[in-house]
Amino acid sequence: LGTKYSEALNATVLDDNGRSVVMPMGCYGIGVSRVVAAAIEQNHDDNGIVWPEAIAPFQVSLIPLNIKKSPREKEVAEKLYADLTAAGIEVLFDDREKERVGVKFSDAELIGIPHRVLVAERGLDNGVLEYKSRRDGEAEEVPADDIVDFLKKKLGL
């Protein structure tokens, strides 16, 4: 900005010699793009972004293991998506039928969604779903009937 506004406001300071001089002005803005860049710089690993929950594009990534071949997985995942959405949780439901589960996992990690839920036949047979935190990377089994409350607790809702 130079001295345009400081001259108009008669904004002066004393220099090293004690003389009054008009101070040069500058400006610095913090916009969305800078906030995003700073968040990514501070929150990433070798697999991609690890979003802080407050600014994550989605809170939970919901991944059925084999949605194309398992009507049961599809049904459970669709119901869970509806239940989580109704509970106010932002969910990315990866219902792509042509992608392998490894691709879905990689994409979810790259995007940086903080929480992941896997719906798989084997887990359903045991009444559980697999939960994994993007930040600590530890997978754990959670009773399928408790998953909504479990996630609400994790998210502080």
Side-chain angles (χ1 to χ4, degrees):
L1 299 174
T3 59
K4 177 179 180 178
Y5 299 104
S6 51
E7 285 174 0
L9 296 169
N10 197 27
T12 60
V13 295
L14 298 178
D15 68 9
D16 293 341
N17 299 319
R19 291 180 299 187
S20 181
V21 294
V22 176
M23 65 178 152
M25 294 176 68
C27 67
Y28 180 79
I30 182 89
V32 172
S33 60
R34 287 190 175 136
V35 170
V36 169
I40 292 169
E41 183 177 322
Q42 296 298 313
N43 298 280
H44 71 280
D45 61 17
D46 291 339
N47 296 321
I49 303 166
V50 183
W51 285 112
E53 288 181 11
I55 60 173
F58 297 94
Q59 296 167 305
V60 174
S61 174
L62 176 59
I63 301 175
L65 182 68
N66 194 350
I67 195 168
K68 187 174 183 177
K69 293 183 180 177
S70 174
R72 182 176 172 207
E73 281 181 20
K74 184 176 182 177
E75 180 183 332
V76 169
E78 287 174 347
K79 182 179 182 325
L80 181 54
Y81 175 78
D83 292 346
L84 291 171
T85 302
I89 298 173
E90 296 171 324
V91 182
L92 177 64
F93 180 14
D94 194 339
D95 60 352
R96 295 178 291 175
E97 292 185 1
K98 294 184 179 182
E99 293 296 345
R100 296 182 325 273
V101 72
V103 171
K104 293 178 182 185
F105 287 168
S106 293
D107 288 350
E109 286 188 351
L110 182 64
I111 294 169
I113 301 170
H115 306 277
R116 183 185 82 198
V117 175
L118 174 67
V119 178
E121 281 288 337
R122 188 190 59 158
L124 293 175
D125 289 343
N126 296 319
V128 297
L129 300 173
E130 181 185 284
Y131 164 81
K132 183 177 178 185
S133 167
R134 177 68 176 88
R135 191 151 305 272
D136 66 28
E138 293 297 318
E140 63 182 284
E141 292 183 340
V142 177
D145 293 340
D146 300 338
I147 194 71
V148 174
D149 289 333
F150 175 85
L151 289 168
K152 285 171 67 175
K153 189 173 183 179
K154 287 280 187 188
L155 295 166
L157 302 177

